[in-house]
Amino acid sequence: TIRDGVQIRIGDVRHPVMVDKGSIVTMFLETPTMTLTAKGQALENGSDGDTIRVTNSQSSSVVEAVVVGAGKVRVQSHARAALN
């Protein structure tokens, strides 16, 4: 809650959280010729553009992924094996 006349500190302002810790997310890996998707569980909260850790639901591999939307993350190409 922001009260009238009270100064706002930088720690009081943050980007909206688009992925909640513990939530199920869709992981995407895109190449010029295909798009792979898999389900995962977020290990951290994340806002648009944040890099967070995600556990692949089938393989239990942990990868780093960038939040690209509500419940959606893009996996970096060097982590492609973790989608399998």
Side-chain angles (χ1 to χ4, degrees):
T1 304
I2 299 174
R3 294 179 297 177
D4 188 28
V6 175
Q7 197 171 35
I8 298 174
R9 297 174 302 200
I10 193 73
D12 295 334
V13 180
R14 67 177 183 186
H15 295 282
V17 174
M18 300 183 84
V19 171
D20 291 315
K21 180 179 179 179
S23 66
I24 300 300
V25 297
T26 301
M27 300 184 295
F28 292 91
L29 173 69
E30 296 180 315
T31 70
T33 57
M34 70 178 167
T35 300
L36 298 173
T37 62
K39 293 293 183 186
Q41 184 173 19
L43 299 176
E44 305 169 279
N45 289 331
S47 300
D48 190 37
D50 288 348
T51 299
I52 63 169
R53 293 176 303 125
V54 179
T55 301
N56 182 308
S57 296
Q58 288 191 314
S59 69
S60 298
S61 298
V62 176
V63 297
E64 289 189 342
V66 177
V67 177
V68 295
K72 298 178 182 178
V73 296
R74 184 182 72 240
V75 177
Q76 305 301 321
S77 60
H78 63 274
R80 105 181 46 168
L83 285 177
N84 297 324

